[in-house]
Amino acid sequence: MANDPNAKIAKYSFYQNVEMYFDKAAVFTKLPKGLLEQIKVCNSVYTMHFPVKMGNEYQVIEAYRAQHSHHRMPTKGGIRYSIHVNQDEVMALAALMTYKCAIVDVPFGGAKGGIKISPRNTTAKQLERITRRYTVELIKKNFIGPGIDVPAPDYGTGEREMAWILDTYMSYHPGQIDGYGCVTGKPVSQGGIRGRTEATGRGVMFGLREIVSYKDDMKAIGMTVGLKDKTVVIQGLGNVGYYAAKFMEEEGCKIIAIAELEGAIHDPNGLDVMKLVKHRKETGSILNFPGATNIAISAAALELECDILIPAALENQITEENASRIKAKIIAEAANGPVTPMGEEILLEKGCLIIPDMYLNAGGVTVSYFEWLKNLSHVRFGRMQKRADESTYNNIISTVERLTGRQLGEKERGMITRGADEIDIVNSGLEETMIEAYRQIREVAKKHKDMKSMRTAAFVVAIQKISESYMAMGIFP
Ligand code: GLU
């Protein structure tokens, strides 16, 4: 999987990289300097140090929560557990959340949290203690709440951590009717929504499927339309990488290589993703997967010949150091910040199409928004409507049958008249969101012939939308 994002002495920090991308796009917007400054700056950062008992001793834990933009409330973004967490990283990720939310019309400002721990070397009991204490720290400073700031999973966290956050928050806010909206990515039994776990990976597939459907765009990079038979390399088999791999495979792609911490594996005929996950569970590693070749240095997999390269792990993976050796035609940023500005320059020079993180991985926060809406409305999507829809469809079919004298089979009728469940509504809302957002980005890109990168177009879309909020508030007339 990912190299340590801080291992190489980078010329610029992650936050500076995001600022550089922003500045490149800002010149296309013609907005006043002060307004652009306000959109770009990180509004608040809360740094915490708190003691947690680990074994027989107390350990001081370093943690953060950054709220990048308050132009819309609540702020929103995941919480990362990693030994590489630092303030600059959290601020950069919070900024990306602001732009991401704007692109997919999720009415939130951006935020991100992080705890500097290695979840692999921490027991579940210790993780629970740390998570609950972190939540209390957020509560003390009013940094969490359904209308204030709503965390979610990110690298190293998942449903379990979100359930602990919810439980801690509710203990301090008994009777708060909308309290369940204080965090998303919860288990379904705890107010979560169906489809949230796989949402980022599914969104990656929806985005890519839309992008490769434009004939002229594909011709320009020497590719044919459609996902079928496209060769794909994926870095990271965590939540995002795994579901992206699974859904791309279902669309007919060939996943020819997967890279993880322990190394990478390659099979030009395509890996069976489900079998690989089983193999990893049994052996503790993706290596030595039957039929595949091991690649000792994980990062080397990024340089394989393929149509689509999906970095789905950490930031700073494609830099000026390795960009010239990348052979993929499309770089699909499922992770946040995997390509640095200098890496991007080289890739664009080579004619690569880079699909920016703030668009492509926005499926997660999109479904988080649906979960938050579900929590505030206190009802499961589809619950009130499913039967009513089914009865309408049945009436239509009966009328058509009567008029045509033809009867449908029971199975066929069942398929046509089925009302939508929560998962159907979530997935269709996600698909619509990814398609519509891409059309907006593509329109901006087509309008500016001198705009070289899709990231710049995505930033322009985001900056425009955020600027409208400020102007509507009368702050920057
Ligand atoms: N951590 C995810 C991201 O980077 C999801 C954020 C959310 O659902 O709030 O987009």
Side-chain angles (χ1 to χ4, degrees):
M1 192 199 57
N3 297 327
D4 169 359
N6 305 318
K8 298 160 230 130
I9 310 294
K11 228 175 171 161
Y12 299 101
S13 75
F14 187 12
Y15 186 69
Q16 283 173 319
N17 286 346
V18 176
E19 287 199 317
M20 267 188 268
Y21 283 136
F22 180 98
D23 291 340
K24 221 166 126 186
V27 293
F28 288 93
T29 65
K30 312 268 187 299
L31 290 165
K33 196 164 160 274
L35 174 53
L36 288 169
E37 269 307 306
Q38 177 55 45
I39 295 173
K40 186 167 79 166
V41 78
C42 185
N43 290 174
S44 337
V45 188
Y46 178 28
T47 309
M48 289 154 261
H49 288 97
F50 50 81
V52 174
K53 196 158 187 208
M54 310 277 264
N56 291 329
E57 296 182 358
Y58 277 92
Q59 200 178 308
V60 178
I61 305 289
E62 180 183 325
Y64 303 88
R65 184 71 180 172
Q67 295 172 353
H68 173 262
S69 181
H70 296 135
H71 73 289
R72 289 269 172 105
M73 292 296 278
T75 50
K76 186 88 190 78
I79 297 179
R80 173 170 292 204
Y81 287 4
S82 146
I83 208 68
H84 307 303
V85 160
N86 59 70
Q87 183 174 334
D88 181 272
E89 180 189 57
V90 171
M91 283 164 64
L93 293 165
L96 288 174
M97 285 308 303
T98 295
Y99 309 124
K100 195 183 298 191
C101 288
I103 286 168
V104 288
D105 289 328
V106 165
F108 300 147
K112 190 72 92 185
I115 305 185
K116 194 176 170 62
I117 42 159
S118 161
R120 278 169 175 253
N121 303 325
T122 313
T123 65
K125 265 275 146 261
Q126 290 167 342
L127 282 173
E128 178 173 355
R129 241 177 277 143
I130 294 168
T131 307
R132 288 185 182 277
R133 178 63 194 256
Y134 175 75
T135 311
V136 172
E137 296 298 322
L138 295 178
I139 295 168
K140 284 201 288 192
K141 288 281 186 279
N142 209 17
F143 256 66
I144 184 170
I148 297 167
D149 187 355
V150 182
D154 196 83
Y155 188 85
T157 56
E159 282 189 353
R160 180 184 63 171
E161 286 73 17
M162 302 308 116
W164 290 332
I165 292 174
L166 172 74
D167 187 53
T168 310
Y169 181 85
M170 290 313 285
S171 320
Y172 282 78
H173 299 86
Q176 191 181 95
I177 187 91
D178 290 332
Y180 272 58
C182 73
V183 61
T184 61
K186 304 178 291 288
V188 173
S189 62
Q190 306 301 111
I193 197 165
R194 288 163 186 82
R196 174 61 186 88
T197 307
E198 56 274 38
T200 313
R202 196 187 286 277
V204 167
M205 180 277 285
F206 282 147
L208 278 165
R209 195 167 70 185
E210 177 65 14
I211 289 160
V212 302
S213 71
Y214 293 88
K215 209 169 166 190
D216 291 348
D217 298 357
M218 288 304 100
K219 214 172 134 198
I221 56 165
M223 248 172 78
T224 52
V225 291
L227 285 178
K228 194 158 179 356
D229 294 329
K230 294 293 183 295
T231 52
V232 178
V233 172
I234 301 190
Q235 183 197 39
L237 199 58
N239 176 270
V240 178
Y242 164 63
Y243 281 109
K246 179 176 180 295
F247 295 128
M248 294 293 278
E249 195 181 28
E250 281 172 19
E251 289 298 304
C253 288
K254 254 197 247 171
I255 315 297
I256 60 159
I258 291 187
E260 253 296 340
L261 275 174
E262 59 269 24
I265 51 165
H266 181 210
D267 182 352
N269 299 316
L271 299 156
D272 184 323
V273 179
M274 296 296 260
K275 279 198 187 141
L276 175 62
V277 169
K278 200 166 158 260
H279 168 83
R280 194 178 191 213
K281 251 198 196 125
E282 283 163 8
T283 67
S285 164
I286 59 167
L287 298 176
N288 306 321
F289 184 57
T293 321
N294 290 341
I295 303 176
I297 300 169
S298 178
L302 304 183
E303 297 165 21
L304 288 167
E305 193 92 46
C306 65
D307 293 312
I308 305 171
L309 169 62
I310 308 185
L314 286 171
E315 62 268 19
N316 292 348
Q317 298 303 303
I318 302 175
T319 66
E320 73 269 29
E321 194 275 312
N322 60 352
S324 60
R325 298 192 299 274
I326 303 279
K327 296 174 198 74
K329 298 185 186 80
I330 294 180
I331 318 288
E333 295 186 342
N336 288 311
V339 178
T340 65
M342 278 151 94
E344 173 162 284
E345 282 301 319
I346 298 167
L347 292 173
L348 292 174
E349 213 44 54
K350 282 159 61 104
C352 279
L353 181 64
I354 306 169
I355 308 168
D357 45 10
M358 61 180 75
Y359 161 66
L360 197 67
N361 70 29
V365 77
T366 300
V367 176
S368 274
Y369 171 45
F370 300 159
E371 179 175 331
W372 182 79
L373 291 173
K374 174 185 183 182
N375 295 148
L376 298 198
S377 61
H378 304 272
V379 63
R380 183 183 74 234
F381 288 105
R383 175 165 176 181
M384 310 273 284
Q385 227 171 320
K386 187 175 153 80
R387 288 268 158 183
D389 285 347
E390 285 178 0
S391 133
T392 308
Y393 304 147
N394 268 310
N395 287 339
I396 296 170
I397 297 294
S398 300
T399 309
V400 173
E401 281 178 342
R402 192 163 40 77
L403 293 174
T404 60
R406 245 202 84 212
Q407 291 283 112
L408 282 184
E410 208 175 308
K411 205 169 150 208
E412 209 177 355
R413 188 186 185 104
M415 255 165 58
I416 299 174
T417 58
R418 196 176 76 86
D421 281 320
E422 181 171 81
I423 186 71
D424 306 312
I425 297 170
V426 164
N427 288 342
S428 76
L430 174 60
E431 183 172 6
E432 168 62 20
T433 303
M434 294 307 292
I435 292 174
E436 174 55 27
Y438 183 63
R439 292 193 178 159
Q440 291 176 14
I441 295 169
R442 189 169 180 272
E443 203 180 296
V444 169
K446 294 278 163 211
K447 215 164 77 194
H448 299 277
K449 291 278 166 273
D450 51 339
M451 198 178 266
K452 286 194 299 177
S453 102
M454 193 194 292
R455 189 187 322 274
T456 306
F459 260 106
V460 168
V461 170
I463 294 171
Q464 290 289 4
K465 288 185 187 174
I466 300 164
S467 74
E468 280 160 27
S469 285
Y470 278 109
M471 296 211 241
M473 287 189 271
I475 298 176
F476 289 93

